[in-house]
Amino acid sequence: MWLADRWKDYRLVDASSGEKLEYWGKILLRRPDPQAIWSCRAGQAPWNKADAVYHRSNSGGGKWQYYNKSIPERWAVRYGRLAFNIKPMGFKHTGLFPEQAVNWDWFSQLIKNAGRPIRVLNLFAYTGGATVAALAAGAEVVHVDASKGMVAWAKENAASSGLGDAPVRYIVDDVVKFVRREFRRGRQYDAIIMDPPSYGRGPSGEVWKIEDELYPLIEDCMRILSDKPLFFLINSYTTGLSAAILTNVLALTIQKKFGGAISADEIGLPMEANGLVLPCGISGRWEQLEKKS
């Protein structure tokens, strides 16, 4: 498992009984996590000190209950030079998936060591964690998401990280349609990052089902990769989609055409309370290997 264990502003205190307890900066949040199926909390006292707790509704969704009335509407957490604006949202999320830091570190090093300009396409880009990391590593980025609000949030994160003037284009669009248009335009990318949802809708009502759409999308993405691509990253939180599946998909597409190496594994966050790891989805990575002279 790949661990996002270099955080200082974020800490996973404990996870148990379908919940997790996390410090986001100095704010302690308690919210649901379906992976924490065990029932073994390292003491109840920390759980009772949460500044805010997310309660699920029997009819779907839920809401936050605030015990600390001084919690700001949003606040920032940092990962190295990167800064992210955190805001508890209606569906338990905060606008950032901290486990993705392990992927940021991986591709940032590839970009820095490339020795050439790298153009990155970030698909289903959400609030721009990967976008900001790639910009900080020196890449040019095209950020694509179907949600206008998430794209605006991504711009704020870039500005907070001191990257407001970095070479990035923000696009509100359906990912599949955008990739196909980029092919018709003759545009190419040296690296592609994607974090597709299990199910979703584009800005014009386009339906996305990962089991039907992921493989065709990767085939389309192959057509807009440059002659010397650097890396390809797929991240997924879809239950039932395994690391082996991502390995097979990458082997049948990117590796078949460009060679290189594939790795895939779970990603996770270490828990302070007991030293265990909370699994947080899977990632599949392809990278081009350096040719020995």
Side-chain angles (χ1 to χ4, degrees):
M1 182 181 288
W2 296 321
L3 299 185
D5 56 3
R6 298 177 60 188
W7 278 96
K8 294 181 180 178
D9 272 10
Y10 170 86
R11 295 157 48 203
L12 176 58
V13 179
D14 199 2
S16 175
S17 305
E19 291 184 297
K20 56 187 173 185
L21 187 67
E22 315 156 286
Y23 270 108
W24 295 84
K26 296 181 179 180
I27 307 297
L28 185 60
L29 300 181
R30 177 175 167 178
R31 57 186 179 133
D33 193 299
Q35 297 295 323
I37 65 171
W38 51 90
S39 299
C40 185
R41 293 182 175 176
Q44 187 63 29
W47 291 85
N48 293 334
K49 295 179 180 178
D51 294 300
V53 179
Y54 185 88
H55 298 286
R56 286 197 182 278
S57 169
N58 292 331
S59 59
K63 64 179 181 179
W64 288 92
Q65 182 177 4
Y66 291 90
Y67 294 95
N68 180 353
K69 303 302 181 182
S70 65
I71 294 179
E73 181 181 353
R74 63 174 59 198
W75 65 96
V77 298
R78 302 192 69 89
Y79 186 74
R81 67 168 289 190
L82 312 181
F84 302 101
N85 297 292
I86 303 303
K87 180 182 179 182
M89 295 188 290
F91 188 63
K92 82 174 182 177
H93 296 302
T94 63
L96 184 68
F97 292 88
E99 61 273 11
Q100 288 301 320
V102 71
N103 282 324
W104 305 339
D105 291 343
W106 169 72
F107 68 67
S108 292
Q109 201 60 44
L110 292 177
I111 293 169
K112 291 175 182 177
N113 294 340
R116 58 187 171 98
I118 299 297
R119 193 163 188 246
V120 176
L121 176 61
N122 187 11
L123 302 174
F124 309 99
Y126 195 50
T127 60
T131 293
V132 174
L135 290 172
E140 174 189 349
V141 181
V142 175
H143 173 113
V144 185
D145 195 275
S147 169
K148 185 177 181 180
M150 294 301 105
V151 171
W153 198 333
K155 292 180 182 179
E156 294 172 2
N157 284 334
S160 296
S161 300
L163 296 164
D165 295 326
V168 55
R169 290 174 57 220
Y170 296 98
I171 308 293
V172 179
D173 202 351
D174 174 73
V175 161
V176 174
K177 291 181 177 180
F178 177 81
V179 168
R180 290 173 180 170
R181 281 198 299 270
E182 289 293 87
F183 172 68
R184 293 195 294 269
R185 294 167 181 146
R187 292 178 180 162
Q188 294 186 322
Y189 296 87
D190 304 295
I192 294 178
I193 299 165
M194 63 170 68
D195 194 346
S198 302
Y199 177 86
R201 288 187 179 274
S204 299
E206 302 88 349
V207 176
W208 165 275
K209 292 182 179 179
I210 194 168
E211 64 270 24
D212 298 330
E213 305 294 342
L214 178 61
Y215 192 83
L217 174 59
I218 295 172
E219 289 185 310
D220 285 339
C221 285
M222 287 177 60
R223 303 192 300 172
I224 60 173
L225 283 171
S226 65
D227 293 336
K228 296 181 179 179
L230 183 64
F231 69 85
F232 199 106
L233 170 64
I234 308 171
N235 189 76
S236 176
Y237 294 96
T238 300
T239 302
L241 196 66
S242 68
I245 290 174
L246 294 188
T247 297
N248 292 345
V249 167
L250 289 170
L252 291 169
T253 54
I254 312 301
Q255 188 182 52
K256 184 177 181 179
K257 181 175 180 178
F258 296 104
I262 297 170
S263 55
D265 208 338
E266 290 183 281
I267 56 176
L269 291 164
M271 292 182 278
E272 293 182 347
N274 50 30
L276 299 178
V277 175
L278 179 67
C280 304
I282 57 171
S283 291
R285 301 169 175 175
W286 173 88
E287 61 183 289
Q288 187 59 268
L289 300 176
E290 293 185 5
K291 295 182 179 180
K292 296 182 179 179
S293 58

